[in-house]
Amino acid sequence: GHTDLLLGAPWAGENDRGTVYGILGGQLPDTGPITDVRDIEIIGSGEASWAGMALSTLRVQDEVGASIVVGEPGYNQGRGRVVLYPPDLIEQSPLSPKYRFLLRGSEEPGGAMHFGRSLQQGDLDGDQLADLVIGAPDFRYDRRSDAGRAWIYLGRSSLDWAMENPAEQTADGSIWGSQAFHRVSRFMRISDLNNDGRADILLPTRAAPP
């Protein structure tokens, strides 16, 4: 019944692996360095992974409690990935590499797309299951540099997420920029704007030249 706190430090640790710190609610934490007062620690899985640049929580099917969702947009030379740590492992800190689900970025050509640079969750289809939207703001195609792309993962498909296939095989849909430097998904918000029981996606983009 107590709210917990997650803090991302994407350039912490050796070679910018990044670290996520968690402080569990229940009492006021001690005053001191985060490495002394944290209850949870998740370390990025590779050089320049930037773990914790984006964070979310998500209730996955058949789980009691929420998974921690950690974006590692710098992983694999900037292709990026997203790691979900289930609630039954949360108090076994440090968690890495004890994850349950691993969502990989696209294998399409184009190099660094920074999959996992932004994360949002909400019930997009009204089935009472949380869905996950993952941003890859530097996705490019057909010479459209940094067009950006948002990948949609529906909660009803979450039992298949552990397959660890690339995004184009595991995601339920995606939205991408129509112009270079749109950077779709650099900033995202999910909210039920018209109160119909289904969350809506806001994807600001860079304005077109005058």
Side-chain angles (χ1 to χ4, degrees):
H2 299 282
T3 299
D4 308 310
L5 175 65
L6 292 175
L7 300 167
W11 293 285
E14 182 181 2
N15 297 320
D16 295 337
R17 285 176 175 265
T19 304
V20 174
Y21 301 102
I23 296 176
L24 299 179
Q27 61 182 13
L28 189 68
D30 295 332
T31 297
I34 187 66
T35 50
D36 293 343
V37 302
R38 58 93 178 111
D39 298 298
I40 299 168
E41 183 174 300
I42 302 171
I43 300 172
S45 48
E47 183 175 335
S49 287
W50 307 339
M53 184 167 283
L55 290 171
S56 186
T57 58
L58 187 73
R59 293 186 181 273
V60 179
Q61 288 188 67
D62 302 326
E63 282 188 354
V64 178
S67 291
I68 298 174
V69 188
V70 177
E72 295 189 349
Y75 181 81
N76 190 18
Q77 297 181 327
R79 284 200 167 269
R81 69 178 189 175
V82 172
V83 188
L84 279 75
Y85 298 88
D88 58 333
L89 293 179
I90 285 176
E91 294 190 24
Q92 298 181 31
S93 182
L95 286 173
S96 303
K98 302 172 185 175
Y99 59 82
R100 176 172 176 182
F101 298 116
L102 179 64
L103 303 178
R104 293 175 51 199
S106 172
E107 288 189 344
E108 295 182 17
M113 61 189 69
H114 298 131
F115 179 87
R117 176 63 182 82
S118 54
L119 297 168
Q120 289 284 302
Q121 63 92 12
D123 184 6
L124 298 172
D125 52 3
D127 64 357
Q128 308 303 310
L129 295 173
D131 309 309
L132 182 64
V133 182
I134 300 176
D138 301 313
F139 178 86
R140 60 183 178 180
Y141 69 101
D142 295 338
R143 298 184 180 179
R144 292 179 173 90
S145 297
D146 298 343
R149 191 165 185 169
W151 299 90
I152 300 170
Y153 292 80
L154 296 178
R156 64 171 181 258
S157 306
S158 62
L159 297 181
D160 296 326
W161 293 354
M163 294 170 59
E164 300 188 13
N165 291 329
E168 53 266 24
Q169 297 179 26
T170 53
D172 294 281
S174 66
I175 303 167
W176 56 89
S178 58
Q179 299 179 16
F181 305 110
H182 256 173
R183 304 206 74 197
V184 164
S185 77
R186 174 63 179 84
F187 297 102
M188 300 190 296
R189 289 294 182 270
I190 292 182
S191 180
D192 185 359
L193 300 174
N194 56 358
N195 200 32
D196 65 354
R198 292 177 295 182
D200 309 302
I201 306 175
L202 296 174
L203 292 168
T205 66
R206 182 185 181 195

